[in-house]
Amino acid sequence: MSTPGNLRYTRDHSWVLLNGNKATIGLTDHAQKQLGEIVFVELPYKVGDTLGKDEAFGTVESVKAVTELFSPLNGKVAEINETVLDSPDLVNDEPYAGGWFLKITVANPKEVGELLDAAAYDKYCSTEE
């Protein structure tokens, strides 16, 4: 599966794609494989709501488990992927495309530098197995 080269990652298996001061947030391919078939996505926040770094912003339910989603950055919700609410399988089928969850306006873009790059994330995942 191809991924954009400028993604950043968290240790709780979210990815972040920064475009200016907007960050798109999703669940990594590694995480969706570990969870199995995603059957439900809950994103209770609304556009304009403030999110704190490490604050839970929703859940995904798979055939194996319910998992909380955490914001990797401080910011305000700019967009919610309504499509993934109706088609949670997009998280499995297109984790880096149609399966994203939120776009936020980042309060401090420098926080992105605290996230893992692809090599560090791959190394982190290999230590979990």
Side-chain angles (χ1 to χ4, degrees), residues 25-77:
I25 302 168
L27 194 66
T28 66
D29 187 48
H30 174 82
Q32 70 82 17
K33 285 178 182 171
Q34 296 296 315
L35 289 170
E37 182 185 352
I38 305 292
V39 296
F40 183 74
V41 174
E42 178 184 36
L43 302 171
Y45 280 79
K46 297 181 189 96
V47 171
D49 286 350
T50 300
L51 268 179
K53 183 178 178 181
D54 299 324
E55 183 176 339
F57 68 82
T59 58
V60 292
E61 183 177 340
S62 73
V63 294
K64 294 182 181 179
V66 175
T67 302
E68 278 194 301
L69 303 168
F70 297 95
S71 180
L73 305 165
N74 291 299
K76 285 194 177 201
V77 177

Side-chain angles (χ1 to χ4, degrees), residues 42-115:
E42 178 184 36
L43 302 171
Y45 280 79
K46 297 181 189 96
V47 171
D49 286 350
T50 300
L51 268 179
K53 183 178 178 181
D54 299 324
E55 183 176 339
F57 68 82
T59 58
V60 292
E61 183 177 340
S62 73
V63 294
K64 294 182 181 179
V66 175
T67 302
E68 278 194 301
L69 303 168
F70 297 95
S71 180
L73 305 165
N74 291 299
K76 285 194 177 201
V77 177
E79 189 177 343
I80 297 166
N81 185 358
E82 302 286 341
T83 305
V84 82
L85 298 175
D86 295 328
S87 301
D89 56 307
L90 287 172
V91 177
N92 296 113
D93 297 340
E94 303 176 15
Y96 300 107
W100 60 275
F101 300 120
L102 298 176
K103 292 185 182 184
I104 65 171
T105 302
V106 179
N108 181 0
K110 290 182 181 179
E111 288 179 344
V112 174
E114 299 169 13
L115 302 174

